[in-house]
């Protein structure tokens, strides 16, 4: 190697085999989210500042200049370069060879083995989930230059590579190097020139590194002035008393990408066995993809203020609307997603945060009824999933739940309210589920309950049919559907002072019941006199042993059960219509009437007539008789 006195000698080195493998995967990666390279370089720069901070504790000379730590990102569109520079600890020659030519991290080898074992697209996913480190620069650059000066040293070093198997290393011209720290220059590929755009880079910094504990400045063009993009202060690490409502709201908006005000902030620090800080928000509007079955939570996980993933299941699915962050020092920074999910640390954090969020929601009505009501209106259907998914917290979730009922159209009645107002002798909580409040309120099944002054929960969320059928009880009270069997209303009727039906069961009526049982036997399991009807002529209920009719319909439409069980047709002996049908003598008129009564009950339930064509013909015959046409 020939050198002049001005030129410094440059050595060529081959990458360690593992690095070559990793680089090959980076360069040929089809991984679409290449933005992560910037997060990696900024995270390294921040680490370097933190290391300096730490080493300066025992060796104050290292940071004797008193310059505050900072990271500068510098763009140059003409030269198509992006530079990340820090004033952290820096690297000397040996450290560079060690850090940028080998792979020291213990997890990396195993990661690469998995990566190579995985196929195609899966492969790309793994890269994204893993902290890809310095070498991810080669996803967007065809040459990377590093120039660095170790804190406390005068010599500076350059490192340069095209990622093709070798790198060069040599002493740098001191005037070219930062006074202290590291400058990483990416010569961007043609595909990656968007990373010289101020808007793109600023957005990525805010999104991915907004809470890095070192301020980040951006210089958008050669010779330009730096502007500060982030201030390096992590909001959640500040004492609560120093954080204003607006600070919380701003942070919520930046972390959630939503533009409303949160309804609830939960900010706490857990100490003891596991140490973490959590800052969680209940949003003020529904995220658009809330009901997407694929959608998981969006809480962000930080390890020591470095963003790791927003894909870790930090909360159960029924809290997937909650936004925010958890920052822990109990996990290693370079943890893979799979390792996070299986980590006992994560399990402990999930329990802790879930408990705190639910407790805060439980207390909210005492201090801010308006926000609580809105939160329930927006997220009640999601929270109800927890009633059947999370056995441990079932009672707490039932206590939180609010309902529309036969006495209140507002979604504000709690089960405690319901129980407080139960009738003497009433042992169950009655509910009815259906597609809409209007349909439910018009339903004949409710007439007997109204007449007896018994409140009924009116449930219209799809999830209601699931939790009601498996929840058992709340505070010792069972849940009973008004469409299910006799709903022990008869027993209640005997106890209370509601007058029983005035109409005696005449022989005509019992023969009508027998006749209908026989005529409609393909459609209904039984026909019987009703105690729950006061106005309507007929209604359908589930057979005593059968499942709730609403649940059955949902399961049927989801293809989960093939044939629905036959319902029971109840007829109201007090109804003039029923009484008139009972004394019909013309056999064909009687048959038509029996079927029309069944069809009426079906339509009231939101269903179609048993046989629409036959229904139309019967109705025409009836019209013909009535109007003489
Ligand atoms: P990790 O950050 O997980 O250690 P990386 O691949 O991101 O892995 O970086 C490898 C190593 O390179 C770091 O551990 C560090 O020693 C060194 N390094 C990278 N960037 C810098 C920097 N800006 N300042 C000082 N050292 C750095
Ligand atoms: Mg790193």
């Amino acid at each position: 190697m020939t050198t002049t006195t001005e030129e410094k000698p440059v050595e060529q080195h081959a990458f360690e085999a593992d690095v070559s493998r990793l680089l090959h995967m980076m360069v040929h990666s089809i991984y679409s989210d290449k933005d992560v390279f910037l997060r990696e370089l900024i995270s390294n720069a921040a680490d370097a500042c933190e290391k300096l901070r730490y080493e300066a504790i025992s060796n104050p000379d290292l940071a004797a200049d008193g310059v505050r730590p900072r990271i500068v990102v510098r763009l140059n569109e003409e030269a198509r370069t992006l530079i990340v520079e820090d004033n952290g600890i820096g690297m000397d020659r040996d450290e560079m060879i060690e850090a940028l030519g080998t792979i020291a991290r213990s997890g990396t080898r195993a990661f690469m083995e998995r990566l190579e074992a995985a196929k195609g697209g899966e492969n790309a996913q793994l890269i994204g989930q893993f902290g890809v480190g310095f070498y991810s620069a080669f996803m967007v650059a065809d040459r990377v230059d590093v120039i660095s000066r170790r804190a406390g040293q005068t010599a500076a070093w350059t490192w340069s590579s095209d990622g093709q198997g070798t790198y060069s290393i040599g002493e740098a011209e001191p005037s070219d190097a930062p006074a202290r720290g590291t400058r990483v220059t990416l010569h961007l590929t043609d595909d990656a020139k968007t990373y010289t755009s101020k808007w793109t880079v600023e957005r990525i910094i805010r999104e991915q590194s907004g809470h890095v504990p070192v301020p980040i400045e951006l210089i958008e063009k050669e010779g330009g002035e730096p502007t500060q993009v982030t201030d390096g202060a992590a909001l959640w690490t500040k004492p609560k008393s120093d954080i204003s409502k607006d600070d919380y709201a701003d942070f919520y908006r930046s972390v959630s990408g939503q533009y409303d005000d949160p309804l609830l902030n939960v900010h706490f620090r857990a100490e003891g066995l596991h140490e973490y800080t959590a800052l969680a928000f209940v949003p003020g509007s529904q995220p658009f993809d809330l009901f997407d079955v694929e959608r998981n939570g969006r809480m962000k996980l930080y390890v020591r203020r470095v963003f790791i993933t927003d894909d870790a299941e930090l909360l159960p699915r029924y809290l997937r609307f909650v936004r925010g962050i958890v920052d822990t020092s109990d996990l290693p920074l370079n943890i893979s997603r799979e390792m996070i999910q299986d980590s006992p640390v994560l399990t402990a954090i999930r329990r802790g945060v879930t408990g705190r969020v639910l407790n805060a929601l439980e207390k909210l009505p005492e201090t801010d009824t308006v926000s609580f009501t809105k939160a329930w209106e927006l997220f009640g259907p999601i929270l109800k999933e927890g009633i059947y998914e999370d056995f441990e917290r079932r009672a707490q979730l039932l206590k939180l739940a609010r309902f529309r009922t036969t006495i209140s159209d507002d979604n504000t009645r709690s089960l405690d309210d319901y129980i407080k107002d139960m009738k003497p002798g009433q042992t169950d909580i009655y509910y009815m589920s259906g597609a809409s409040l209007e349909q439910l309120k018009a339903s004949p099944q409710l007439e007997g309950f109204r007449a007896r002054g018994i409140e009924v929960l009116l449930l219209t969320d799809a999830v209601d049919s699931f939790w009601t059928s498996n929840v058992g009880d709340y505070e010792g009270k069972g849940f009973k559907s008004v469409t299910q069997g006799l709903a022990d209303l008869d027993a209640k009727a005997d106890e209370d002072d509601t007058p029983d039906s005035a109409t005696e069961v005449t022989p005509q009526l019992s023969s009508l019941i027998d006749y209908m049982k026989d005529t409609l036997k393909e459609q209904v399991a039984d026909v019987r006199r009703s105690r729950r009807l006061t106005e309507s002529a007929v209604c359908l209920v589930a057979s005593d042993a059968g499942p709730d009719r609403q649940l059955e319909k949902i399961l049927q439409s989801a293809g989960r059960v093939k044939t629905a069980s036959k319902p029971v047709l109840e007829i109201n002996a007090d109804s003039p219509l029923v009484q008139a049908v009972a004394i019909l003598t013309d056999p064909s008129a009687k048959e038509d009437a029996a079927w029309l009564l069944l069809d009426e009950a079906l339509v009231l339930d939101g269903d179609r007539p048993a046989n629409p064509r036959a229904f139309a013909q019967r109705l025409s015959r009836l019209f013909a008789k009535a109007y003489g046409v």
Side-chain angles (χ1 to χ4, degrees), residues 238-244 247-248 267:
K238 295 182 182 168
K240 279 161 90 167
S241 53
D242 289 1
I243 306 176
S244 71
D247 290 335
Y248 277 125
H267 184 189

Side-chain angles (χ1 to χ4, degrees), residues 562-576:
K562 281 220 174 55
T563 48
S565 55
K566 289 184 198 170
V568 171
L569 180 65
E570 291 196 349
I571 61 176
N572 178 1
D574 300 335
S575 154

Side-chain angles (χ1 to χ4, degrees), residues 39-45 47 105 131-134 333-334:
R39 169 187 89 187
E40 295 298 330
L41 297 182
I42 287 177
S43 138
N44 286 348
D47 285 351
R105 284 189 300 184
V132 280
F134 171 79
L333 253 178
N334 57 352

